[in-house]
Amino acid sequence: MYYTYFSVFQMSIKSYLKNLLYQPRQLLSELQQLDQQQFQTAMKYLFNSKKEHLVSDFTRRIFQSPGVNRTLFLVTLDKCFLALSALDCVDILSQVLRVSAVNYLQPDVVGSLPNLLLEDAFRNLSSLFKDLYDRTSASTQRALYGWMNIYLCKTEFNESTSWVSAESLWILGRYMVHLPLEEILKISLNEIRLFISYDNATKQLDTVYDITPELAQALLERINSSGFDMRNTSTIYRLGLLVCFYDDLEQMDAAVARALLHQMIKCNQLRGFQAEVHELKSQLLNIAVQNQTLNDTLGSLSDAVVGLTSSQLQSLSPEAVHNAIATLNQVSGWAKSQVMILSSKYLSYEKVLSFYNVSQMGALVTGIGTEALHSMDPRELAQIVRGTMSQFLADLSPAQQQGILRKITASGDFSSSVKDIQGAFFKEVSLSGLWKQTGYDSSMLKEKELRRSQALYLYEVLLKFAFLFSTGQLVKGVTCQLIESMGTDIFLNNFKFFEMNLHLLSPYQLCQQGKCFLFQNSSIADEYDVDLLGNLICHLPPAFLHGRMSLKAMAAALHQFKLCQQLSHEQKAEIKYKLLQLYGSSNNWTAQTTLDVGQFIALLSKEELHVLAEKVYCLGMRAPSSNEIIKLAEANVFWSVQELKCMDPGTFDKNVELLGAVSGFNSSQLIALKEKAKQVWGSLPDWRSYQIVSLGRIALALTEPEIQELDLHSIDTISALSQQTEWTPTQARAILQGFLEDSGQTISTLKSFDLVGLGAFLCALNSTEITSIRTAEFSAAVARIGLLFCSSSVLRQFKKMTESVFGAATSWNGSILQEIGTIAGGLNEDELKAFDESLMPYFQQSAIRHIPPEIFQALSPAQIAKLGPANAAMVTGSQREHLDGSQLHSLGLALAGARSSSPGTQNSSGSAQEGQTPAPSGECSPPCSQEVMEEGCQMALAAV
């Protein structure tokens, strides 16, 4: 068997390994059967042939194939240390691990690591594991610490003396956080002194992100006992992240407190314990400002300034904020209300809003009002869009972004400026705005995020593969139909492009690759199958997860699932089912389990979360403290109404935005918090904009008379309120009316940024008011309005306004249907029937649900069959009830993704109709057939 294998290996290694890329178990089996000499030859060929032209590119692809990478790692552990020198084997392990996802470095695998290595090999291997620390799980980290401990703990020590030396601490690096507490307390004071004196100690201690308070305080105690002055600035600098747990505050000097706060700016990197850090910063802040005014010390408080309450920030003078701006603009973690206060203070000192002044503000730029941004010189706004401040533009509210775009557009400088708009900000450019521009090329689309309507239009303009494949975002306009029409060579040459942009593709554009796996495998049995799937695991059907995924595979896949962006409710339900099988009842979960489960803890029911909150966080019957509110996050829902009423006013004022972000509070809890706001802030007419914004969901408890008392003149206040989705029609109308009255505007004077800021409150407009909106303003805001879930009567009126922008509904194309979103729900029967069936996949999914049942039934069976799977899944029960037998049959075909079975249509060419844009990324047009899947499977295999 060897001669056959090895002759193939020598003569056609590239072809042979290519065939084994999807058969890593077979590769492992065959490599394990080699004797030492054969294994040496194979390893030298793979790892020592950097000068060989054949290997240079292909070997890299082999290492990056997850299943093969896992196989090479395991076989190296199994055979290498018997066949090659330890240093060579460590080098091979390093090459393999550094290009892998390291998912397979699990505790059981760590148990196979050699336990007899010479010092150089051990140091090299431990250095590799230190570099990979952040890419491994907590359990693997503990296992690797145990392996390193075997080598470091060589000498017999008595019970009072530790084996831990300064050198072993340096070798352990970040793994020092896994030392037992009792071992740290026994470390020789001489060794601790030597370790801290070492120049690189600070760098090492700056990276112990997962250290616990108990271990940190034990180390601080040993450092203190070893003779270091813990209040000396030089010592404080050497402590790294240990300063986050500094606990000796008695009779501390204000200068020492400021030095500690300066070092604590790095504490936001800690994995947890932020509530404790927040409390310590608060205590140090109080010491730092003793016998001095806040105005004098503001610039020296580091990021502890985010702990200042709104009333403290309001007490600052504009000059103090101006003088401290170099510190304030570097701080992260500001609440929206804090940013609003500081921006107002800074700009009141500067008097004039200029590019220079704005460029000094850093993240505080998000606190500039929409009206103020719109009042700026358009040339300076264009500089902001192009300049260093562009990194903060995505954090502006939609209203603020629209304010900037409107001013630039009106200036006539839009044509040059639009090419310089980067990132997510570009998504705010209207489709009608893009229509007015010329001279598009692929280079101008780089570094831009696109809405689907933009991608569809620009794809039509740049209808060349060269442009398509050099601009990642345009992949949103690629359909299964287009993929099918590609020649094999084109597909293979560009397979890497699709692979790199999987996050931009819909499940239905993933059809070739996903079905490819499902055709070959009836189940996901183990980690090798998980490796093969990669990102495609995010798109497995719920039924497949339930019945065909083993627990072993789920354990290996949990990390991958955490990276999935858009798991469906059904997928999450199946993941929860598997988690409960893996970890048992949530009643038995520990704090460590919650870390392993990560964000999937949100899948638990309220009752399960309550039990967990009581167990892990020791939630009791008492008034909430700041510490508990920070630590509990969403679990704050379990405070009773009485406990919320008993909250200290200062605690509420400091944590109102955290409380306002809790999604699970019921109406009684929200009312209790609203009443607490009245108690703390006084009467409603006195509430400032930043206070109203800070309420979050608590604002939902405001009654109509209370809303009428508020000052609602600012569109930024309205924009923040519109982010809540649970307003009653009465509340929404009161807020809309309050804004119009307090700002002195009428519907006809509203600008595009007003429309965007009003958001869901536009649904409270009546027909007459909608017709008075200016067409130009509506045109700029139509994509945002198309995200609203308004009543049918309002959507019908918005549809009429849309016709004034894009022409009669019967002339609309795919990019327009994508742009207008739910507004398409306002189409009448005749308009809906007039659409060519090829346009059906271009309706946004939300639009389908908003078509009234009596209108939806006007669709022909042919149109329904072409909806595509995702749109068909949006059809409501009441819509189904109005369909006849042939229509229901067509709906079934659409759900199943039938290719050419739709009644009355044949399109053998598979190409889009002339003049029509390709279907959006949410659908396939037409859906991919099984035959196409099988063909695509072969293409995908060949590409790898």
Side-chain angles (χ1 to χ4, degrees):
M1 181 256 181
Y2 162 68
Y3 293 106
T4 302
Y5 168 80
F6 201 65
S7 61
V8 173
F9 195 94
Q10 286 181 309
M11 293 169 58
S12 185
I13 179 63
K14 184 174 181 179
S15 174
Y16 181 76
L17 287 176
K18 186 175 181 180
N19 291 331
L20 288 177
L21 280 176
Y22 272 75
Q23 302 175 58
R25 297 181 193 83
Q26 182 181 342
L27 179 62
L28 177 62
S29 174
E30 298 201 13
L31 289 175
Q32 283 177 330
Q33 293 180 51
L34 300 179
D35 63 28
Q36 288 190 17
Q37 185 59 46
Q38 296 160 358
F39 182 82
Q40 279 184 3
T41 305
M43 291 297 102
K44 286 179 180 178
Y45 182 87
L46 282 172
F47 294 97
N48 295 328
S49 305
K50 294 179 182 177
K51 297 179 181 178
E52 296 280 346
H53 176 72
L54 171 69
V55 179
S56 58
D57 180 61
F58 187 67
T59 300
R60 183 169 62 253
R61 292 180 64 189
I62 290 173
F63 293 164
Q64 291 174 346
S65 172
V68 175
N69 191 289
R70 180 192 294 271
T71 291
L72 290 175
F73 177 79
L74 294 177
V75 82
T76 300
L77 279 185
D78 184 41
K79 301 181 72 71
C80 186
F81 289 93
L82 299 175
L84 301 175
S85 74
L87 282 174
D88 285 341
C89 293
V90 169
D91 181 58
I92 290 172
L93 288 173
S94 179
Q95 289 186 58
V96 173
L97 282 171
R98 288 186 190 281
V99 296
S100 75
V102 199
N103 295 341
Y104 50 77
L105 196 57
Q106 297 297 323
D108 58 329
V109 175
V110 173
S112 302
L113 290 172
N115 52 21
L116 289 174
L117 287 177
L118 295 177
E119 185 173 350
D120 285 350
F122 166 71
R123 283 179 176 270
N124 289 356
L125 193 52
S126 59
S127 178
L128 167 67
F129 291 143
K130 284 191 286 187
D131 292 343
L132 298 176
Y133 190 93
D134 281 326
R135 295 164 60 189
T136 56
S137 67
S139 56
T140 297
Q141 290 162 5
R142 287 191 294 272
L144 287 169
Y145 161 78
W147 173 80
M148 296 166 77
N149 183 39
I150 294 172
Y151 284 89
L152 295 173
C153 187
K154 295 176 181 177
T155 314
E156 291 292 330
F157 294 90
N158 59 48
E159 291 185 2
S160 63
T161 309
S162 172
W163 57 267
V164 180
S165 65
E167 183 180 26
S168 61
L169 287 172
W170 299 328
I171 292 173
L172 283 170
R174 292 175 62 182
Y175 289 93
M176 66 184 289
V177 302
H178 298 287
L179 283 165
L181 178 64
E182 58 272 16
E183 202 65 57
I184 290 174
L185 293 173
K186 293 192 299 184
I187 298 175
S188 159
L189 296 181
N190 287 334
E191 296 295 335
I192 279 287
R193 191 181 304 113
L194 185 60
F195 171 69
I196 296 297
S197 300
Y198 183 55
D199 288 341
N200 275 351
T202 302
K203 183 178 179 182
Q204 181 171 325
L205 292 174
D206 275 345
T207 63
V208 288
Y209 310 123
D210 47 350
I211 197 167
T212 64
E214 294 77 17
L215 291 182
Q217 285 162 2
L219 283 166
L220 287 171
E221 188 276 325
R222 298 307 283 166
I223 295 168
N224 182 38
S225 298
S226 69
F228 283 95
D229 179 359
M230 300 299 281
R231 297 194 175 182
N232 180 279
T233 304
S234 177
T235 303
I236 291 171
Y237 171 76
R238 289 181 173 274
L239 296 178
L241 290 176
L242 300 184
V243 297
C244 307
F245 305 98
Y246 198 99
D247 58 354
D248 181 17
L249 306 186
E250 236 179 278
Q251 298 182 333
M252 180 176 285
D253 182 82
V256 176
R258 288 194 290 272
L260 282 166
L261 287 173
H262 182 71
Q263 288 301 306
M264 287 184 73
I265 198 167
K266 63 188 76 169
C267 295
N268 59 2
Q269 300 175 73
L270 285 174
R271 310 275 167 78
F273 309 110
Q274 289 302 318
E276 289 81 357
V277 170
H278 185 273
E279 182 65 25
L280 176 58
K281 283 184 178 181
S282 179
Q283 293 172 347
L284 290 170
L285 189 60
N286 291 335
I287 297 171
V289 298
Q290 280 179 357
N291 303 320
Q292 299 180 73
T293 67
L294 196 54
N295 283 328
D296 293 333
T297 57
L298 184 63
S300 63
L301 300 178
S302 190
D303 71 340
V305 289
V306 299
L308 295 172
T309 65
S310 297
S311 55
Q312 286 176 308
L313 293 176
Q314 276 287 27
S315 71
L316 293 169
S317 69
E319 182 181 12
V321 174
H322 172 269
N323 292 338
I325 196 67
T327 297
L328 301 176
N329 66 14
Q330 297 180 52
V331 173
S332 60
W334 292 112
K336 180 66 176 177
S337 58
Q338 292 176 310
V339 170
M340 291 171 69
I341 295 170
L342 290 171
S343 296
S344 175
K345 296 278 185 185
Y346 175 73
L347 294 176
S348 68
Y349 180 87
E350 296 294 345
K351 309 298 183 191
V352 179
L353 193 58
S354 66
F355 168 72
Y356 173 77
N357 292 336
V358 172
S359 67
Q360 301 302 303
M361 296 178 70
L364 297 181
V365 72
T366 60
I368 303 176
T370 299
E371 289 280 4
L373 288 168
H374 188 259
S375 69
M376 286 184 67
D377 184 289
R379 288 167 298 184
E380 296 204 319
L381 278 176
Q383 278 185 283
I384 291 173
V385 169
R386 291 191 292 263
T388 55
M389 294 302 294
S390 61
Q391 63 181 303
F392 301 109
L393 293 179
D395 297 323
L396 297 176
S397 72
Q400 290 171 311
Q401 294 181 355
Q402 184 59 224
I404 293 173
L405 285 173
R406 185 183 187 277
K407 191 59 174 280
I408 294 175
T409 305
S411 72
D413 190 36
F414 184 69
S415 183
S416 59
S417 298
V418 72
K419 297 176 182 179
D420 296 313
I421 297 173
Q422 302 297 317
F425 190 35
F426 189 82
K427 294 169 76 172
E428 295 301 317
V429 178
S430 69
L431 182 61
S432 57
L434 291 182
W435 283 4
K436 299 171 186 175
Q437 309 309 314
T438 58
Y440 291 113
D441 58 48
S442 61
S443 62
M444 79 159 270
L445 295 182
K446 290 180 178 176
E447 308 301 324
K448 289 176 170 58
E449 291 185 35
L450 305 178
R451 291 196 316 276
R452 284 181 180 144
S453 58
Q454 294 171 320
L456 289 165
Y457 170 69
L458 291 170
Y459 173 81
E460 190 177 61
V461 173
L462 303 173
L463 191 54
K464 295 179 182 178
F465 279 128
F467 288 160
L468 171 67
F469 293 130
S470 64
T471 309
Q473 288 281 319
L474 279 185
V475 74
K476 293 178 180 179
V478 182
T479 64
C480 286
Q481 181 183 30
L482 179 61
I483 296 172
E484 292 162 20
S485 68
M486 291 182 189
T488 301
D489 289 341
I490 294 176
F491 183 83
L492 297 184
N493 291 338
N494 293 289
F495 182 78
K496 194 66 179 176
F497 163 81
F498 287 110
E499 197 172 40
M500 289 166 56
N501 291 285
L502 281 177
H503 62 290
L504 299 177
L505 293 167
S506 76
Y508 303 102
Q509 293 168 297
L510 292 166
C511 49
Q512 269 81 358
Q513 299 168 48
K515 294 279 184 163
C516 171
F517 177 87
L518 299 181
F519 277 128
Q520 297 181 96
N521 301 269
S522 59
S523 66
I524 305 174
D526 56 23
E527 63 274 18
Y528 282 101
D529 288 340
V530 173
D531 289 343
L532 290 178
L533 274 171
N535 292 341
L536 292 175
I537 204 166
C538 302
H539 304 285
L540 290 174
F544 198 98
L545 294 175
H546 182 85
R548 302 194 198 176
M549 188 170 197
S550 72
L551 290 180
K552 183 178 182 183
M554 174 54 75
L558 189 56
H559 172 74
Q560 190 67 45
F561 277 124
K562 289 177 184 178
L563 303 177
C564 297
Q565 299 287 325
Q566 295 176 321
L567 291 171
S568 70
H569 173 75
E570 292 76 13
Q571 286 174 307
K572 289 178 179 177
E574 295 303 337
I575 291 172
K576 176 188 174 181
Y577 171 74
K578 293 290 186 182
L579 288 176
L580 293 176
Q581 287 184 303
L582 271 174
Y583 295 106
S585 167
S586 60
N587 293 341
N588 300 320
W589 288 9
T590 64
Q592 182 60 51
T593 311
T594 64
L595 291 176
D596 292 340
V597 171
Q599 70 263 36
F600 292 119
I601 194 173
L603 300 178
L604 298 177
S605 68
K606 276 197 172 185
E607 293 72 23
E608 291 169 322
L609 280 171
H610 195 180
V611 171
L612 201 58
E614 287 184 331
K615 180 178 179 182
V616 176
Y617 299 113
C618 302
L619 189 62
M621 296 297 292
R622 57 187 177 279
S625 68
S626 288
N627 236 5
E628 289 166 328
I629 291 170
I630 295 170
K631 190 181 296 186
L632 287 171
E634 191 63 31
N636 279 293
V637 295
F638 300 114
W639 295 111
S640 70
V641 170
Q642 189 57 43
E643 287 169 329
L644 293 174
K645 286 180 177 179
C646 293
M647 190 189 311
D648 178 76
T651 300
F652 174 84
D653 196 31
K654 186 180 289 188
N655 299 286
V656 60
E657 299 207 30
L658 291 175
L659 293 167
V662 176
S663 63
F665 279 140
N666 60 35
S667 58
S668 299
Q669 291 170 309
L670 293 176
I671 291 171
L673 290 168
K674 177 196 68 175
E675 294 302 321
K676 180 63 66 174
K678 289 181 180 180
Q679 176 191 342
V680 177
W681 297 337
S683 62
L684 292 165
D686 296 330
W687 286 10
R688 308 286 292 273
S689 286
Y690 70 84
Q691 291 171 323
I692 299 172
V693 167
S694 70
L695 286 172
R697 287 191 71 244
I698 300 171
L700 294 170
L702 292 165
T703 64
E704 184 181 1
E706 287 172 333
I707 290 170
Q708 291 170 351
E709 290 189 63
L710 296 172
D711 178 2
L712 298 177
H713 78 280
S714 168
I715 190 58
D716 298 294
T717 304
I718 303 301
S719 179
L721 291 174
S722 72
Q723 300 307 303
Q724 305 306 322
T725 59
E726 303 161 74
W727 297 106
T728 67
T730 303
Q731 287 175 310
R733 184 68 197 184
I735 291 171
L736 172 65
Q737 203 63 45
F739 169 66
L740 293 174
E741 292 173 1
D742 293 346
S743 66
Q745 294 204 70
T746 64
I747 302 297
S748 62
T749 64
L750 294 177
K751 303 177 183 67
S752 59
F753 57 79
D754 293 318
L755 296 174
V756 170
L758 280 165
F761 302 127
L762 291 175
C763 295
L765 292 169
N766 60 43
S767 298
T768 303
E769 290 170 329
I770 292 175
T771 57
S772 65
I773 298 173
R774 286 179 288 176
T775 302
E777 308 300 336
F778 183 86
S779 171
V782 68
R784 283 283 173 182
I785 296 173
L787 299 175
L788 305 179
F789 296 167
C790 299
S791 68
S792 296
S793 60
V794 171
L795 292 178
R796 281 195 295 272
Q797 211 58 47
F798 281 150
K799 187 268 298 182
K800 292 179 182 178
M801 287 294 300
T802 304
E803 288 184 302
S804 67
V805 177
F806 296 119
T810 52
S811 69
W812 293 349
N813 64 16
S815 58
I816 294 173
L817 285 172
Q818 274 287 300
E819 178 83 347
I820 67 173
T822 57
I823 297 174
L827 292 163
N828 62 37
E829 289 184 47
D830 292 334
E831 290 164 339
L832 200 57
K833 284 193 294 187
F835 281 115
D836 187 279
E837 62 204 42
S838 64
L839 285 174
M840 301 312 293
Y842 294 88
F843 283 86
Q844 285 195 25
Q845 294 173 31
S846 55
I848 299 296
R849 301 183 68 88
H850 281 81
I851 301 174
E854 64 275 12
I855 304 293
F856 188 79
Q857 69 179 352
L859 289 171
S860 70
Q863 287 175 308
I864 293 174
K866 287 297 184 71
L867 280 172
N871 275 352
M874 292 296 106
V875 176
T876 66
S878 58
Q879 287 171 329
R880 285 172 179 264
E881 290 173 2
H882 283 69
L883 301 181
D884 61 27
S886 62
Q887 289 172 313
L888 288 171
H889 175 69
S890 292
L891 183 61
L893 293 175
L895 285 167
R899 175 182 167 82
S900 56
S901 305
S902 51
T905 63
Q906 289 295 327
N907 187 354
S908 59
S909 67
S911 60
Q913 282 193 347
E914 186 177 352
Q916 297 291 350
T917 50
S921 66
E923 313 294 342
C924 292
S925 177
C928 298
S929 65
Q930 179 164 317
E931 292 76 21
V932 172
M933 293 303 140
E934 291 170 337
E935 181 183 349
C937 171
Q938 300 305 318
M939 296 167 73
L941 281 174
V944 181

